[in-house]
Amino acid sequence: MSIESRLSELGVTLPDAPAPAANYVPFVKSGNLLFVSGQISANDDGFITGTLGEDMTAEDGAAAARTCAISLLAQLKAGCDGDIERLVRVVKLTGFVNSTADFGDQPKVINGASDFMVEALGERGRHSRSAVSAPSLPFGVAVEIEAIFEIS
C-alpha cells in the first residue's frame, strides 16, 4: 500500500511543509539521507503549548508529538520533490519534551510520534530515537522532534 493511501485511511492529510522560523533550512539532503529540522507541536488552532508534568499529561504530550510527526512527513514529502514514496525508512527521531525537572515520561510522550510513524509507514517507520527533557522550547511548545530519513 502506498504511503499516501495509508495516510488517507488514517484520515491524515499532510499540510504544506512548514516554513522555517529563523535562519535555517527545513531539510538538508546528503547522499541518500534527508535531515529534517525540528518540527514543533501545532495543529489547526496554532501552537500546542504547555509543560509536561505541570499543565499537560503524557497523553496530551503524545498527541502533540503526533502533530510533529505529521509535519516531519510533510517536510519529507517536500524534500522528495513531492514524491513521499521515495522513503526507504525512518532512520532516527530525536524528540525534545518541554517538561518539569521531575517529569520522567519523555519516552511516553515521544511514543506519539513513533507510534504514528509505524502506523502510517509500517516497517519503513521503525526507527532509532532519543527522547529528552528540555526546560523550555521555542514559542512555549510542548514538543519538538527532528528526523533523519533514508530516501531513494
Side-chain angles (χ1 to χ4, degrees):
M1 174 179 288
S2 75
I3 294 170
E4 295 279 3
S5 296
R6 182 66 185 141
L7 290 170
S8 180
E9 271 189 4
L10 294 172
V12 173
T13 301
L14 294 180
D16 291 334
N23 188 21
Y24 64 91
V25 294
F27 54 81
V28 170
K29 291 180 199 174
S30 181
N32 64 342
L33 296 178
L34 184 74
F35 296 80
V36 177
S37 297
Q39 301 297 298
I40 57 178
S41 53
N43 58 26
D44 291 339
D45 297 325
F47 297 132
I48 300 170
T49 60
T51 304
L52 281 290
E54 184 176 294
D55 56 3
M56 293 183 80
T57 66
E59 292 76 21
D60 296 332
R66 185 179 190 276
T67 71
C68 296
I70 292 169
S71 292
L72 287 166
L73 292 184
Q75 293 293 0
L76 167 67
K77 185 174 180 177
C80 290
D81 302 316
D83 184 7
I84 198 169
E85 302 305 325
R86 288 178 53 198
L87 174 68
V88 173
R89 75 168 305 146
V90 181
V91 176
K92 182 169 186 184
L93 298 182
T94 302
F96 304 92
V97 179
N98 182 353
S99 57
T100 61
D102 61 344
F103 182 81
D105 283 336
Q106 290 81 6
K108 287 182 182 177
V109 171
I110 302 305
N111 280 348
S114 293
D115 293 347
F116 176 76
M117 289 296 190
V118 174
E119 183 179 18
L121 307 172
E123 284 301 310
R124 291 189 280 186
R126 296 201 181 282
H127 54 273
S128 66
R129 79 162 200 210
S130 299
V132 298
S133 179
S136 66
L137 289 172
F139 311 111
V141 297
V143 181
E144 179 175 356
I145 304 175
E146 63 183 25
I148 302 170
F149 297 103
E150 181 183 358
I151 58 174
S152 61

